[in-house]
Amino acid sequence: METHPPLDLSAGQGMVEDVLDRFFERAKARAAKLGPSYLSLWQTLEDSTAGGKRVRPRILLTAYLNLGGTDTAAAAGVGAAFELLHTALIVHDDVIDLDFTRRGQENVSGVYRDLASSAGAETGAARHRGLSAGVIAGDLALTGAFRLLDRSPVSPETRLRLAEILDDAVFASAGGELIDVDFSFHPGAPPIDEILHMERLKTAVYSFEAPLQAGAVLAGAPDEVVSTLGLYGRDIGIAYQVVDDLLGVFGSETATGKSTFSDLREGKRTVLISYASDKPEWAELSDLIGSPSLTARGAARARELLVSSGARDHARELVREYADRARQRLDCPAVTPGLRAALSAVVDDAVNRGR
Amino acid sequence: METHPPLDLSAGQGMVEDVLDRFFERAKARAAKLGPSYLSLWQTLEDSTAGGKRVRPRILLTAYLNLGGTDTAAAAGVGAAFELLHTALIVHDDVIDLDFTRRGQENVSGVYRDLASSAGAETGAARHRGLSAGVIAGDLALTGAFRLLDRSPVSPETRLRLAEILDDAVFASAGGELIDVDFSFHPGAPPIDEILHMERLKTAVYSFEAPLQAGAVLAGAPDEVVSTLGLYGRDIGIAYQVVDDLLGVFGSETATGKSTFSDLREGKRTVLISYASDKPEWAELSDLIGSPSLTARGAARARELLVSSGARDHARELVREYADRARQRLDCPAVTPGLRAALSAVVDDAVNRGR
C-alpha cells in the first residue's frame, strides 16, 4: 500500500497563533480604554489560552488541507474561533466545577481568587470573586469565537454554515454540561451509555465533529464527506473521552499534567465507575471515591478494585471499539487516501495519549 | 410646532414575539432529542424571557421605523437578538450577584435551586446547582443572540455591522460587570463619575446605544445619524440608570416590582451612596446599609439620611442633566422631527418610570 507523507500543518498552526495574538491585542487595546482592571481580565484570559495544544485548530486544518483547501489563512481564522470556543467552555466548566486550577496552573477564577485573597478578602468572598471573573471571561471568549469567525476571509454562505456548526457545538456542549451536572446529583452511577452520551455532547462534538465538519465545509467538500467526517469525529471523540477517563485514574501525572487523584477524589462519574458499580468491588470502591480525604493509599486501592472488577479492561475495550469504528468510517470512496492516512494518525494520537 | 403622531410599533413588536417563539420552539425540539432535562432548561430559559417589557426591541424599532425603514421583519429579528442578549446578561449578572429571584419571581438559578432542594439537596449544593444552570442558560442565550442575527433577513454587509454592534455591546457590558464586581470589593464608595462610567458600560450601551445604532444601520441611515443616536443613547441610558438607583431606594415596589430594601441591604454602590459618602450623614448611613439584617425601620432611616444629605436631590439633578443633554443631541438636522418626537417620548418614559 502506498504511503502518504502527512501534509505540513506548521504554516497553518502559526497563522492560528497570529490570529489569536491579533484578537487579544485588539481586545486589550479596547479594554485598556475602559479601565485597567478590564485590561487585566483580558490579559488573564489570553494567558489562559496560551500553551494549549490547539487540538481543534489542528484537526480542522488536517481536514481542510487534506481535502484540497488552499486558503490556509481562512482555515486558520476558523480554527482560532474553535480554540476560543474551547477556552470559553473550559472557563465556564471550571466555574461550574468550582475548579480554580487547570493542568496544575491557576485558571482565570484561580487568578482572581488569589488577587482577592491578597487584597484581604476572606476565603468565601475571594472564591466568589474568582468565579465571577470566570463567568465574565467565558462570555468574552464565547463572543470572541463568533467574532473571529466574522473576521475570517470566507464567503457569506460559507460563514453562515460555519456559524451553524459553531452554534450546534455550543448547543451540544451546554446539553452535555447540564447532564454532567445532573449526574453529580444522582446517587450511584449512571449506565455507561448515558455517560458516553454525556461525554460526546460535552466534549466530542465541539472538539472533533465540529472542527472536522468545518474544515470540510471550508474546503468545499461534498455533503457526503462533511457528514462522514462528522460520524468519524463522533466515534473518535468518544474514544478520546474514554481514554481521558482511563488517564484520569491510571495515567501518569507527568504525561497528562493532571492529578490521577482528582477524578477519584471528586467521585467523577466515568465509564470506569459505571462499569464497577454493579460488581462486587463496588461496596468497597464506593466508600473510597468521592471523598476529599482520599489518601494515596486509598487511591491505589481504588485502582486495584477498578482493575479486579474488570472496569479498566472494559474501558480499554470500549476505546478499541470506538477507534475501530472511527477508522471504518473513513473506509469509503468519498475519503481520499491522503485524508484517511492523516485522520488515522489523529486516531492513533487520541488512543495512545499519555502512554 | 407641528405634532408628530407616533408610528405604530405594535406590528413590529408582535413580530419580535413571533421570532422569539420560533427560536425557542426550534431549540426545545432539538433539546428534547438530547434529553428531558435539557428540554426543561430551555423551557425555563424561555419562561425567564416571557413577560419582559422588550425595551430594547422597542427602541430599535422606534429608530428603524422613524428613519424610514420598511422591512419590519428584519428589524424585529434584530430586535429579538437584542432581547436574547439582554436575557443572557441578566442571567449571568444574577449568577454573579448570587441572586435567585428577579422582579419577585424565581430566575433560572432560582428554579434549579428549588428543584435541587425538593430533590433533597442541602442548601449549599442546591444553590450551586442553581448557579450552574444559570451559567449554562446564559451561554445559550448569548449564542442565541448571534444566531437570531444570522437568521434575520439582512444583507451580509449589514449583518457584519450589526454583529460588530452586538459584539461591542457584550464587550462593554462585560467590562461594566467586572468594574461593578471590583466596586463591591473596595471599601467606601467610588466617586460618582466612576459609578456613572460603570453603569453606562454595564447597561446603557447594550440597552440604548447599541439598539439605537442597530436600528439606524438597518434603516441605512448616514453615519452621522448612527453616531448621533449612539451619543443620545449614552446620555439617556445614563439618565435611565440613575433613575434606577433612585427607584431602588425610593421607588414603590408595586411600580418597580423590585424591593426598595435590596439595594440598601446589599449596600449597592449607587450615585446616591457615592454622594452621601463624604457628607456628615455617612457615619450613620454606612452602619445601616450593606447589612443583611437591615430592618424596615433601618431602611426608612437610611432613606431619611439620603434625603437630608442631599443625595436624592443630587441624583434627581443628574437625571435632569443627562435627560436634557440627551434631548439636545437630537437637536440637529440629521434627526427628523418625527424621530425627535418619538425619541423624546423614550426620554420621558425613562425619566418618569415608577412615578
Side-chain angles (χ1 to χ4, degrees), chain A:
Chain A
M1 168 190 166
E2 50 172 332
T3 63
H4 296 276
L7 291 173
D8 180 11
L9 303 182
S10 56
Q13 288 181 285
M15 289 188 198
V16 170
E17 299 308 315
D18 295 343
V19 171
L20 290 170
D21 289 347
R22 277 200 306 278
F23 170 79
F24 281 109
E25 282 316 312
R26 276 194 201 202
K28 286 187 292 182
R30 289 165 69 198
K33 298 200 190 91
L34 301 189
S37 71
Y38 199 28
L39 173 59
S40 323
L41 181 69
W42 273 101
Q43 186 59 59
T44 307
L45 183 60
E46 180 176 22
D47 296 345
S48 77
T49 67
K53 291 193 253 60
R54 311 300 193 212
V55 173
R56 291 138 197 97
R58 206 171 75 237
I59 289 173
L60 187 149
L61 285 163
T62 300
Y64 179 74
L65 296 173
N66 283 285
L67 284 164
T70 56
D71 187 348
T72 310
V78 180
F82 273 97
E83 187 64 22
L84 269 191
L85 173 62
H86 171 59
T87 299
L89 294 173
I90 60 179
V91 168
H92 278 176
D93 181 54
D94 285 349
V95 167
I96 288 168
D97 292 345
L98 305 176
D99 283 336
F100 293 88
T101 61
R102 179 164 286 259
R103 306 228 162 275
Q105 296 202 322
E106 254 70 45
N107 56 19
V108 173
S109 294
V111 169
Y112 275 79
R113 177 197 58 183
D114 295 354
L115 282 173
S117 299
S118 340
E122 41 82 15
T123 314
R127 285 167 57 91
H128 177 231
R129 183 170 204 193
L131 297 171
S132 300
V135 171
I136 297 168
D139 288 347
L140 290 169
L142 184 56
T143 311
F146 287 91
R147 197 92 197 78
L148 281 186
L149 180 57
D150 275 344
R151 288 186 190 154
S152 303
V154 300
S155 75
E157 300 66 29
T158 304
R159 190 211 62 83
L160 184 58
R161 283 190 69 187
L162 294 172
E164 279 166 2
I165 291 171
L166 213 53
D167 177 58
D168 290 349
V170 175
F171 190 92
S173 297
E177 185 76 55
L178 182 74
I179 294 171
D180 197 13
V181 171
D182 291 341
F183 283 170
S184 62
F185 276 81
H186 288 130
I192 286 181
D193 61 344
E194 283 186 29
I195 287 175
L196 294 178
H197 176 61
M198 178 277 289
E199 292 183 335
R200 181 209 152 215
L201 292 177
K202 185 176 172 181
T203 312
V205 173
Y206 90 86
S207 302
F208 292 89
E209 291 184 46
L212 285 164
Q213 291 180 310
V217 165
L218 207 49
D223 292 349
E224 185 197 352
V225 174
V226 176
S227 55
T228 298
L229 290 192
L231 294 168
Y232 162 79
R234 170 181 307 203
D235 291 331
I236 194 59
I238 292 172
Y240 186 93
Q241 287 307 303
V242 179
V243 170
D244 239 30
D245 288 351
L246 280 161
L247 292 175
V249 174
F250 297 103
S252 79
E253 296 197 15
T254 47
T256 61
K258 191 178 166 192
S259 161
T260 54
F261 256 62
S262 49
D263 280 10
L264 292 170
R265 209 170 245 157
E266 69 182 63
K268 188 178 174 194
R269 304 295 196 264
T270 67
V271 294
L272 291 164
I273 299 306
S274 175
Y275 183 89
S277 65
D278 61 3
K279 299 291 175 295
E281 284 81 357
W282 184 242
E284 184 182 354
L285 185 61
S286 55
D287 284 345
L288 289 167
I289 63 173
S291 145
S293 60
L294 179 70
T295 61
R297 185 121 171 268
R301 178 61 185 154
R303 287 188 201 97
E304 282 172 15
L305 293 165
L306 287 168
V307 173
S308 61
S309 63
R312 183 176 67 175
D313 287 343
H314 184 74
R316 287 177 171 173
E317 180 50 35
L318 275 175
V319 172
R320 262 190 299 279
E321 200 180 297
Y322 278 95
D324 290 346
R325 200 184 298 178
R327 282 199 194 78
Q328 285 158 22
R329 301 280 193 192
L330 303 177
D331 241 332
C332 71
V335 177
T336 64
L339 178 58
R340 189 174 304 125
L343 292 180
S344 301
V346 174
V347 177
D348 300 339
D349 282 0
V351 175
N352 300 320
R353 282 178 307 141
R355 291 208 179 149

Side-chain angles (χ1 to χ4, degrees), chain B residues 192-343:
Chain B
I192 287 180
D193 60 344
E194 283 186 30
I195 288 174
L196 294 177
H197 176 62
M198 177 278 288
E199 292 183 337
R200 180 207 153 218
L201 291 176
K202 185 177 172 181
T203 312
V205 173
Y206 90 86
S207 302
F208 293 89
E209 290 183 47
L212 285 164
Q213 291 180 311
V217 165
L218 207 50
D223 292 349
E224 186 196 351
V225 174
V226 176
S227 56
T228 298
L229 290 192
L231 293 169
Y232 162 78
R234 169 181 310 203
D235 291 330
I236 194 60
I238 292 172
Y240 187 92
Q241 287 307 303
V242 179
V243 170
D244 239 30
D245 288 351
L246 280 161
L247 291 175
V249 174
F250 297 102
S252 78
E253 296 197 14
T254 45
T256 62
K258 192 178 164 191
S259 160
T260 54
F261 257 62
S262 49
D263 280 10
L264 292 169
R265 209 170 246 155
E266 70 183 61
K268 188 177 172 193
R269 303 296 195 261
T270 67
V271 292
L272 292 164
I273 299 306
S274 174
Y275 183 88
S277 65
D278 60 5
K279 300 291 177 295
E281 284 82 355
W282 185 242
E284 185 182 354
L285 185 62
S286 55
D287 284 344
L288 290 167
I289 63 173
S291 145
S293 61
L294 179 70
T295 60
R297 185 120 171 266
R301 177 60 185 156
R303 286 188 202 97
E304 283 172 14
L305 293 165
L306 287 169
V307 173
S308 61
S309 64
R312 183 176 66 176
D313 287 343
H314 183 74
R316 286 176 171 174
E317 180 51 38
L318 274 174
V319 172
R320 262 190 300 278
E321 200 180 297
Y322 278 95
D324 290 345
R325 200 184 299 178
R327 280 197 197 82
Q328 284 156 22
R329 300 280 193 192
L330 303 177
D331 239 331
C332 71
V335 177
T336 64
L339 178 58
R340 189 173 305 126
L343 292 180

